[in-house]
């Protein structure tokens, strides 16, 4: 065996120098007399070798092991076409043997990835491909993938493949695959992490099946039925698209009305029977009772003696047998007719007595006069408290309490930040007690009309209607001829909404990047321009106006009515970066589903186009319909109006009722005028304009009446007039408006007048009741208590109040939510995550969870939702609800979640309703730092 060539038991391996640490190369051979290293073609000096030698026990051959060190400096100093290399040469008696070459390289791993994974949104069951090219390094880096800081293994999940060129491939995405992915590259030198890529697996919404059609909402006649479906098959998740189309379908239906049965003709008499009787029958078939109708009243069988009572039974004439019965029937008939005669005489006597009594008490009768006026519109006069115990003013010693204070929370315009006491002069609203009206600090504009507030523009040059007002006999019930006798006929009239020389309701303001709010005073109309809607370093003069002429927004079919004023905002061509919130008051009763309400917009050729139906899903506009207001998110300036079509007779609209009065020039006649207008603030201003010019006084707090679409008229009557102090001309105590007059009145207020005459100038107090009722409908009572002042002609004809010049606010003062909190909420909710806590949840908690497809197309859905919340809560101004919603959302998430902690901090930052609303966002942040 000693005569063999050396055989290497261990050859040098490739090695990497890490940092400045040298490496060792080893060789071992047998039999070997000597072993030397040769590096890069040169022999390594013997002094640099470390040798070990021993004899193998079984064979007696010598085994030699040699080691050398290679430093970083040696490798760096070598400049050759190849990497630094070394090999071993071993000698024996028969010759030499060479080992393999071992390369020595300096190990490193660069910092920057050649390609990092990118975040992506993938539909469910789609393919996810995340690319990763690790940094350059020696040796080459190995790649691993982390999901939410946990290692991803393709061995545990066959749906995942990590073998394809360092890429991560998920063949069919699942909801559980949403998360934060990181590419991890490592070698013997270092470990590098790529930027995190967020993967969101979303689910597009799908419609469920339609429900069955509901029952017809009326028991008899034409009604509606509906069916619904929900976007839950599946429900949209993680920012998935919402279902397109309508969630509610309505259809007209007809329920068969009950048909009461009716008798058909009698049949022919039957043949005379052995008992000397004949019979005939009839059937309840003309018509037959259907659909729960009543059966016919009476007998279906009739019998009659067919021998003239000469038939023999038991050897006696049938006549003799029936004599006692006939005598009894005769006596019963006499008693019956005697009672009827006595009753008739009694009724006649009572009628004559009542007639004589009424003739002695009053010479006047009651009649119902019909009118042919055709239009009218109106607004609510918003009183927040009930009258403090009106006394019967017949007792002049009972004085009103002038110390009672009433509090109103809705100012007419933007007041100063400090609370003010407004003490009005004796005016239009006398003889209501002169009360101190306390206006709470708020920069919101009331959608109603405050008790002693007016439109803060200059009084019109002429306050009588421009249109011709019908005069019948020159009575005091018309707008003209008030000085004539109270005996002239009185008829309901219509007050034209266009006053001669009256300027249109219009307001304007200059707005910039900070946004703001623009308000038409006393009209229930406002415009909210969000922060950032206008570009930076840009300002626009925005305006809003209310059309004062007859509406052209209604369809030609005549089934639609105007439910709100026609509101225009501009200028035309203005483009916002996000929707603006337009708030418009309406008069529809939306407590039931008996309306088909549409939003219309006027085109350039002055025609009207339908923008959307309120209950339909739309991506071009959003409509939030509250009880008294409609909040619109619109993007295009123009003229907008709400119109409605009654689907059933149960549909109703609100009427505002108000009674005004004043002495006529002869100081004996007192005129009471009752107005019925649409229950919107703008409509009531028409009444205010008319009464301001006439010197009228409000006699009772305005009230609301629900007027149904049942085709029945509206009756106004005056009752309980003191007969010994006042008189009213004949046939005028009750007046009537036809159904079409009231239902279609949207521009001009309806008015009827009662003219009363006092018997003596000493009668200076008047009390009566005014009843306003819809036939087969609701009724309201206006109770009048007033004192007739002798110097009434010298009193102020209307209330006095300083002009309101602040109709717009800009910047942070116009918003309830401070800008810093607004931005933090948007940053938290605009980004969807795997747990689903995004802007959709915010909308749900704020009860803005319909037509979410509109928000999905916005750049910042959360910002648009908050703008709508601002518009909806402009009157109440309470941020507690927003803070509570954020706290509730935070509780849903884990307490260790970063987003939950963020929500908790935001909700605590929001000031409570008791804190000062004008505190800046910087102060809020400083207080909570």
């Amino acid at each position: 065996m000693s005569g063999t060539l050396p055989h290497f038991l261990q050859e040098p391996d490739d090695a990497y120098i890490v940092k400045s640490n040298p490496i060792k190369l080893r060789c071992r051979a047998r039999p070997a007399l000597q072993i030397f290293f040769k590096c890069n073609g040169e022999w390594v000096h013997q002094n640099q070798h470390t040798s070990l030698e021993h004899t193998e026990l079984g064979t007696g051959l010598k085994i030699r092991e040699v080691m050398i060190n290679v430093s970083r400096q040696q490798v760096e100093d070598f400049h050759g076409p190849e990497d630094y290399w070394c090999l071993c040469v071993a000698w024996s008696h028969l010759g030499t043997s060479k080992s393999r070459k071992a390369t020595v390289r300096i190990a490193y791993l660069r910092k920057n990835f050649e390609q990092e994974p990118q975040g992506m949104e993938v539909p469910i069951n789609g393919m996810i491909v995340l690319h990763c090219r690790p940094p350059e390094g020696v040796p080459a880096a190995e790649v691993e993938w982390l999901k939410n800081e946990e290692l991803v293994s393709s061995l545990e999940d066959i749906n995942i493949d990590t073998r394809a060129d360092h890429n991560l491939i998920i063949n069919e995405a699942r909801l559980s695959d949403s998360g934060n992915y990181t590419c991890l590259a490592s070698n013997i030198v270092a470990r590098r992490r790529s930027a995190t890529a967020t993967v969101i697996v979303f689910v597009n919404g799908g419609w469920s099946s339609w429900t069955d059609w509901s029952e017809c909402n009326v028991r008899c006649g034409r009604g509606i039925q509906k069916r619904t479906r929900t976007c839950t098959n599946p429900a949209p998740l993680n920012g998935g698209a919402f279902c397109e189309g309508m969630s509610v379908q309505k259809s007209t239906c007809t329920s068969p009305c009950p048909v009461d049965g009716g008798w058909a003709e009698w049949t022919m008499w039957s043949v005379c029977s052995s008992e000397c009787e004949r019979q005939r029958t009839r059937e309840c078939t003309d018509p037959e009772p259907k659909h729960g109708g009543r059966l016919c009243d009476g007998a279906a069988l009739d019998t009659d003696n067919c021998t003239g009572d000469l038939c023999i039974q038991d050897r006696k004439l049938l006549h003799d047998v029936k004599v006692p019965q006939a005598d009894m029937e005769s006596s019963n008939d006499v008693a019956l007719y005697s009672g009827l005669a006595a009753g008739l005489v009694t009724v006649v006597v009572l009628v004559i007595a009542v007639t004589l009594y009424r003739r002695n008490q009053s010479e006047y009768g009651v009649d119902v006069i019909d009118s042919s006026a055709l239009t009218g519109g109106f607004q609510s006069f918003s009183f927040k408290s009930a009258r403090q115990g009106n006394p019967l003013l017949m007792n002049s010693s009972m004085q009103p309490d002038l110390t009672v204070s009433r509090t109103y929370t809705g100012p007419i315009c933007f007041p100063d930040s400090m609370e003010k006491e407004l003490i009005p002069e004796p005016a239009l609203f006398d003889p209501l007690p002169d009360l101190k009206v306390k206006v709470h600090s708020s920069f919101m504009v009331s959608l109603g009309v405050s008790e002693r507030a007016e439109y803060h523009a200059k009084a019109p040059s002429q306050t009588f209607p421009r249109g011709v007002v019908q005069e019948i006999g020159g009575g005091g019930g018309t707008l003209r001829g008030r000085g004539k006798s109270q005996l002239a006929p009185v008829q309901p009239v219509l007050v034209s909404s266009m006053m001669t020389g009256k300027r249109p309701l219009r307001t304007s303001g200059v707005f910039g990047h900070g946004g703001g709010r623009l308000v038409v005073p006393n009209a229930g109309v406002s415009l909210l321009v969000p922060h950032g809607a206008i570009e930076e370093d840009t300002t626009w003069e925005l305006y809003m106006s209310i059309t004062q002429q007859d509406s052209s927004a209604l369809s030609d079919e005549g089934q639609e009515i105007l439910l709100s004023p026609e509101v225009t905002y501009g200028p035309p061509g203005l483009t916002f970066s996000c929707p603006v919130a337009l708030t418009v008051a309406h008069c529809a009763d939306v407590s039931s589903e008996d309306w088909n309400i549409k939003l219309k917009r006027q085109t350039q050729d002055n025609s009207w186009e339908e923008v959307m139906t309120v209950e339909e899903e739309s991506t071009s506009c959003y409509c939030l319909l509250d009880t008294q207001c409609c909040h619109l998110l619109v993007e295009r300036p123009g003229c907008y109006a709400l119109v409605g079509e009654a689907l059933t007779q149960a549909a109703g609209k609100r009427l505002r009722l108000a009674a005004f009065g004043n002495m006529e020039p002869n100081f004996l006649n007192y005129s009471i005028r009752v107005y019925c207008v649409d229950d919107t603030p703008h409509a009531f201003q028409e009444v205010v304009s008319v009464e301001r010019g006439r010197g009228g006084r409000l006699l009772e707090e305005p009230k609301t009446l629900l007027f149904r679409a049942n085709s029945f008229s509206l009756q106004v009557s005056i009752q309980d007039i003191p007969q010994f102090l006042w008189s009213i001309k004949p046939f005028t105590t009750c007046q009537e408006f036809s159904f079409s007059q009231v239902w279609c009145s949207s521009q001009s207020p309806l008015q009827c007048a009662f003219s009363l005459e006092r018997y003596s100038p000493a009668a200076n107090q008047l009390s009566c009741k005014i009843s306003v009722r819809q036939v087969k409908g609701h009724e309201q009572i206006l109770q009048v208590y007033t004192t007739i002042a002798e110097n009434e002609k010298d009193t102020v004809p209307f209330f006095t109040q300083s002009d309101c010049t602040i109709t717009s606010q800009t910047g942070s003062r116009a918003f309830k939510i401070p800008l810093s909190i607004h931005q933090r909420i948007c940053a938290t909710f605009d980004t969807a995550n795997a747990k689903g806590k995004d802007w959709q949840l915010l909308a749900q908690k704020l009860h803005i969870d319909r037509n979410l497809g509109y928000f999905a197309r916005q750049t910042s859905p959360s910002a648009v939702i908050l703008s709508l919340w601002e518009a909806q809560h402009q009157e109440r101004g309470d941020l507690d609800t927003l803070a509570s919603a954020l706290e509730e959302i935070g509780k849903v998430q884990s307490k260790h979640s970063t987003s939950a902690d963020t929500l908790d901090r935001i909700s605590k930052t929001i000031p409570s309703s008791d804190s000062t609303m004008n505190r800046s966002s910087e102060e809020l942040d400083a207080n909570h730092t």
Side-chain angles (χ1 to χ4, degrees):
M1 294 294 295
S2 60
T4 61
L5 291 175
H7 172 69
F8 284 98
L9 301 177
Q10 180 180 0
E11 297 182 277
D13 295 324
D14 297 337
Y16 298 94
I17 296 178
V18 179
K19 298 181 180 180
S20 298
N21 299 321
I23 55 97
K24 293 183 179 291
L25 296 180
R26 300 173 183 270
C27 276
R28 188 172 56 176
R30 102 185 150 188
L33 299 177
Q34 292 291 339
I35 300 177
F36 291 99
F37 273 93
K38 193 175 186 179
C39 295
N40 301 319
E42 297 182 359
W43 295 103
V44 177
H45 195 278
Q46 185 176 2
N47 295 337
Q48 298 178 2
H49 290 73
T50 301
S51 301
L52 295 175
E53 181 180 348
H54 65 276
T55 303
E56 190 176 31
L57 296 178
T59 60
L61 299 177
K62 290 184 178 182
I63 299 176
R64 182 176 292 273
E65 182 176 356
V66 178
M67 296 177 291
I68 64 170
N69 291 330
V70 179
S71 66
R72 182 185 183 97
Q73 187 66 39
Q74 290 177 284
V75 177
E76 289 179 346
D77 291 342
F78 173 71
H79 300 285
E82 300 177 301
D83 291 331
Y84 190 98
W85 58 269
C86 294
L87 57 80
C88 295
V89 180
W91 280 268
S92 69
H93 294 288
L94 295 181
T96 62
S97 298
K98 294 182 179 180
S99 70
R100 62 177 295 275
K101 286 184 178 181
T103 60
V104 179
R105 304 174 66 183
I106 298 176
Y108 68 92
L109 182 63
R110 301 195 183 280
K111 293 184 178 180
N112 297 326
F113 280 75
E114 295 184 5
Q115 183 179 5
E116 291 185 302
Q118 301 296 320
M120 59 191 309
E121 296 181 358
V122 182
I124 194 167
N125 297 327
M127 177 177 286
I128 300 175
V129 179
L130 297 177
H131 298 278
C132 178
R133 293 175 60 189
E136 179 185 353
V138 173
E142 296 181 354
V143 171
E144 294 177 311
W145 285 92
L146 300 178
K147 174 191 172 185
N148 298 332
E149 302 304 322
E150 295 182 0
L151 187 64
V152 176
S153 174
S154 59
L155 299 177
E156 298 177 359
D157 191 344
I158 60 174
N159 193 38
I160 298 177
D161 185 5
T162 58
R163 298 169 297 176
D165 196 21
H166 307 306
N167 297 330
L168 173 64
I169 299 176
I170 301 178
N171 297 313
E172 294 186 1
R174 300 154 297 190
L175 288 176
S176 59
D177 293 326
S178 297
N180 298 320
Y181 288 82
T182 306
C183 182
L184 189 64
S186 61
N187 63 7
I188 61 175
V189 178
R191 177 183 296 237
R192 309 288 186 214
R193 291 171 59 96
S194 69
T196 299
T198 300
V199 175
I200 297 176
V201 180
F202 62 87
V203 179
N204 292 325
W207 287 115
S208 65
S209 300
W210 287 103
T211 61
D212 295 334
W213 286 102
S214 64
E215 295 183 359
C216 202
N217 65 340
V218 295
R219 295 184 177 180
C220 173
R222 181 174 178 266
I224 60 171
Q225 58 181 170
K226 67 177 183 179
R227 62 176 183 174
T228 60
R229 58 179 179 176
T230 57
C231 191
T232 56
N233 187 30
L237 292 175
N238 298 337
F242 284 83
C243 305
E244 296 183 358
M246 296 188 303
S247 61
V248 179
Q249 275 189 350
K250 291 186 177 181
S251 175
T252 57
C253 57
T254 302
S255 295
C257 296
V259 178
D260 295 337
W263 288 115
E265 295 293 333
W266 288 102
T267 60
M268 298 295 293
W269 286 105
S270 65
V271 179
C272 193
S273 67
S274 60
E275 297 180 352
C276 305
E277 288 184 346
R278 57 179 181 176
Q279 296 179 347
R280 62 176 180 176
T281 59
R282 58 179 178 177
E283 295 182 352
C284 188
T285 58
D286 189 20
E288 292 183 2
K290 295 180 180 180
H291 314 302
R294 292 180 299 177
L295 298 175
C296 300
D297 293 332
L301 176 64
D302 183 23
T303 61
D304 182 43
N305 189 280
C306 53
T307 63
D309 296 334
L310 297 179
C311 187
I312 296 177
Q313 286 186 357
D314 298 331
R315 301 182 181 273
K316 294 183 179 180
L317 290 176
L318 187 60
H319 175 72
D320 296 335
V321 176
K322 296 186 178 181
V323 163
Q325 181 179 354
D327 291 341
M328 187 179 297
E329 291 178 355
S330 255
S331 61
N332 290 340
D333 290 344
V334 171
L336 174 63
Y337 289 121
S338 298
L340 290 177
L344 180 60
V345 171
T346 303
V347 171
V348 172
V349 171
L350 289 176
V351 170
I352 295 174
V354 171
T355 303
L356 292 176
Y357 174 77
R358 296 188 62 184
R359 183 169 300 175
N360 291 334
Q361 295 295 324
S362 174
E363 297 178 357
Y364 309 119
V366 177
D367 193 9
V368 176
I369 299 177
D370 204 355
S371 163
S372 60
L374 293 178
T375 58
F378 50 92
Q379 308 260 108
S380 66
F381 198 91
S382 185
F383 284 85
K384 301 300 183 183
S385 63
R387 179 190 294 266
Q388 301 289 335
N390 281 316
L392 291 175
L393 297 180
M394 300 303 294
N395 184 355
S396 60
S397 65
M398 299 179 66
Q399 299 297 328
D401 184 3
L402 301 182
T403 64
V404 180
S405 176
R406 296 183 190 177
T407 301
Y408 297 89
T409 58
I412 295 305
C413 59
F414 300 105
D416 296 335
S417 60
M418 300 299 292
E419 294 183 357
K420 296 183 179 180
E421 295 282 340
L422 300 179
I423 306 178
E425 299 289 339
L428 173 71
F429 294 97
D430 292 340
L432 295 179
D434 290 334
L435 305 177
K436 295 181 180 180
V437 181
K438 188 174 183 180
V439 181
H440 281 279
S441 173
S442 172
F443 56 80
M444 298 315 303
V445 173
S446 174
L447 295 181
V449 178
S450 183
E451 179 181 11
R452 296 181 180 266
E454 65 174 323
Y455 174 55
H456 305 284
K458 294 182 179 180
S461 58
Q462 185 173 355
T463 56
F464 286 124
R466 182 179 63 183
V468 178
V469 179
Q470 183 178 3
E471 299 182 26
I472 301 180
T478 64
L479 290 177
R480 301 174 184 172
R482 290 180 290 168
K484 297 187 180 182
S485 171
Q486 80 281 6
L487 297 179
V490 178
Q491 179 169 338
V493 297
L494 288 144
V495 182
S496 172
S497 64
M498 286 298 291
M499 318 304 290
T500 303
K502 183 176 181 180
R503 294 178 297 177
L505 290 180
R506 178 186 172 99
T507 185
S508 62
V510 178
F511 296 86
H513 184 71
R517 196 186 305 270
L518 187 63
V519 174
V520 179
N522 304 332
V525 175
S526 65
L527 181 70
L528 179 72
V529 181
H531 175 85
I534 300 177
E535 297 180 357
E536 294 189 34
D537 302 326
T538 303
T539 58
W540 283 90
E541 181 178 6
L542 304 182
Y543 68 85
M544 273 200 310
S545 63
I546 298 179
T547 303
Q548 295 280 75
Q549 59 191 6
D550 291 340
S551 174
S552 58
L554 305 180
S555 63
D556 297 334
E557 290 79 1
Q559 297 180 351
E560 294 178 348
I561 64 172
L562 197 63
L563 298 177
S564 73
E566 297 176 11
V567 179
T568 303
Y569 85 91
L574 176 61
T575 302
F576 296 104
S577 62
C578 61
V580 296
L582 177 63
T583 298
V584 182
H586 68 81
C587 63
D589 175 31
V590 296
S591 60
S592 60
E593 299 181 351
D594 302 301
W595 281 102
N596 181 23
I597 300 178
K598 302 176 183 178
L599 175 66
K600 288 192 174 184
R601 177 174 53 217
Q602 194 172 26
T603 60
Q604 295 182 352
D605 58 354
N606 293 329
S607 61
W608 287 82
E609 63 179 0
E610 180 180 333
V611 179
M612 66 175 296
T613 299
V614 171
E615 293 188 357
E616 291 181 353
E617 308 285 333
S618 174
T619 57
S620 62
C621 183
Y622 191 93
C623 180
L624 179 61
L625 197 64
D626 282 346
T627 304
Q628 295 183 341
C629 296
C630 180
H631 308 285
L632 304 171
L633 292 177
V634 293
E635 302 176 6
R636 293 173 48 189
C639 184
Y640 294 86
L642 281 180
V643 300
E645 177 185 359
L647 299 177
T648 69
Q649 293 186 358
K653 72 172 186 176
R654 303 186 311 276
L655 299 181
R656 177 63 65 176
L657 312 176
F660 293 82
N662 66 296
M663 286 298 298
E664 297 185 3
N666 59 10
F667 296 105
L668 289 178
N669 296 345
Y670 193 82
S671 177
I672 297 179
R673 295 171 297 280
V674 182
Y675 293 88
C676 304
V677 297
D678 286 353
D679 186 20
T680 58
H682 166 252
F684 193 76
Q685 293 307 305
E686 300 298 329
V687 176
V688 171
S689 299
V690 173
E691 288 299 324
R692 181 191 293 115
R694 304 181 65 172
R697 294 170 177 269
L698 183 66
L699 302 180
E700 167 67 321
E701 298 174 0
K703 295 184 178 180
T704 303
L705 176 70
L706 185 60
F707 189 79
R708 298 289 188 186
N710 56 11
S711 72
F712 289 103
S713 60
L714 185 72
Q715 293 181 351
V716 183
S717 60
I718 186 168
Q719 305 168 5
D720 298 344
I721 301 173
Q723 297 182 0
F724 299 102
L725 299 177
W726 296 86
S727 66
I728 186 171
K729 66 177 187 166
F731 306 107
T732 61
T733 57
C734 185
Q735 303 176 41
E736 183 171 10
F737 293 110
S738 66
F739 171 79
S740 60
Q741 286 178 264
V742 183
W743 189 250
C744 300
S745 65
S746 57
Q747 294 293 322
S748 301
L750 298 172
Q751 172 210 337
C752 64
F754 302 97
S755 182
L756 287 76
E757 181 182 8
R758 55 181 173 176
Y759 291 120
S760 169
N764 63 349
Q765 293 179 333
L766 171 63
S767 65
C768 62
K769 288 195 307 184
I770 297 175
S771 170
V772 184
R773 62 179 291 269
Q774 184 183 17
V775 179
K776 296 186 179 181
H778 294 80
E779 179 182 18
Q780 277 285 15
I781 299 295
L782 299 176
Q783 188 71 54
V784 175
Y785 299 97
T786 185
T787 300
I788 311 301
E790 292 299 334
N791 59 346
E792 189 173 87
K793 61 179 180 179
D794 298 327
T795 60
V796 181
F798 202 74
F799 57 85
T800 59
Q801 179 176 320
S802 59
D803 287 344
C804 175
T805 58
I806 305 176
T807 58
S808 65
Q809 277 197 336
T810 59
S812 60
R813 289 177 59 86
F815 303 97
K816 300 193 178 306
I817 306 175
L819 179 59
S820 61
I821 297 178
H822 185 283
Q823 293 173 341
R824 291 165 65 186
I825 294 175
C826 295
T828 303
F829 288 99
D830 278 342
T831 302
N833 56 54
K835 296 183 179 180
K837 192 195 64 177
D838 53 10
W839 60 266
Q840 302 171 35
L841 185 56
L842 175 65
Q844 178 185 354
K845 296 302 180 183
L846 295 181
H847 307 291
I848 307 174
D849 51 1
R850 189 185 61 82
N851 193 13
L852 294 184
Y854 176 82
F855 300 107
R857 58 180 290 270
Q858 304 298 330
T859 304
S860 176
S862 301
V864 179
I865 292 172
L866 293 179
S867 296
L868 186 60
W869 185 91
E870 288 264 8
Q872 187 182 16
H873 294 80
Q874 59 179 315
E875 186 174 2
R876 294 182 291 276
D878 185 7
L879 288 177
D880 292 343
T881 56
L882 179 60
S884 299
L886 296 179
E887 290 177 0
E888 185 176 352
I889 295 174
K891 292 177 181 178
V892 176
Q893 305 301 322
S894 171
K895 293 184 179 179
H896 302 287
S897 170
T898 302
S899 57
D901 295 339
T902 302
L903 286 176
D904 184 63
R905 291 195 298 270
I906 294 176
S907 63
K908 292 180 180 178
T909 304
I910 296 178
S912 66
S913 58
D914 296 332
S915 63
T916 303
M917 293 302 301
N918 292 330
R919 178 186 294 177
S920 65
S921 59
E922 290 79 11
E923 290 174 336
L924 291 174
D925 293 338
N927 290 339
H928 290 276
T929 300

